[in-house]
Amino acid sequence: RGCRRCAERLHDDAAIAESLHAELAHEPPLPRLERALLARELGEHAWRRLGQSELAREAFSAALELDPRDRASLGLWTELHAARGERS
C-alpha cells in the first residue's frame, strides 16, 4: 500500500494501477470485501484516468464476482458498458 500512496502523491496513474494490481494479487489473499473494493478502485482508475476500458471492465467484473451486492461496482460497470455502446 505504501507504493500506491507514493504513486498517488506523484500523480503517477500507471504506477497507481500497477500497485492496485499488486494488492489484488497479494498472498495470502486479502479479505474478499477488501479485494472487491480494490478491484472497483482499479476499474475506476483504469477507466477514468488511463482510458483503458477493457481493464476497467475486467476489474468491475472481478469486483462483482467478489461482492455481487456492491451497488457502486454495478453502477460503474453499467455506466462503462453504456459508454462503450454495449448492452448490459
Side-chain angles (χ1 to χ4, degrees):
R1 293 182 191 198
C3 291
R4 180 167 34 133
R5 286 189 197 116
C6 289
E8 288 169 346
R9 286 186 184 120
L10 294 171
H11 304 284
D12 185 340
D13 292 326
I16 293 169
E18 286 179 32
S19 65
L20 286 166
H21 266 295
E23 289 179 50
L24 281 167
H26 185 269
E27 289 295 331
L30 297 169
R32 186 176 188 88
L33 294 179
E34 192 170 340
R35 287 183 307 179
L37 176 62
L38 286 171
R40 181 183 350 129
E41 286 181 43
L42 175 59
E44 192 161 17
H45 189 80
W47 182 26
R48 302 207 190 275
R49 305 288 289 212
L50 299 174
Q52 295 182 7
S53 60
E54 185 58 28
L55 175 58
R57 186 194 62 75
E58 291 170 5
F60 293 143
S61 294
L64 288 167
E65 281 184 35
L66 290 162
D67 183 6
R69 294 180 286 178
D70 181 0
R71 289 180 167 206
S73 290
L74 179 59
L76 288 164
W77 185 88
T78 303
E79 187 180 339
L80 172 65
H81 280 271
R84 290 174 55 161
E86 300 172 353
R87 290 186 170 189
S88 40

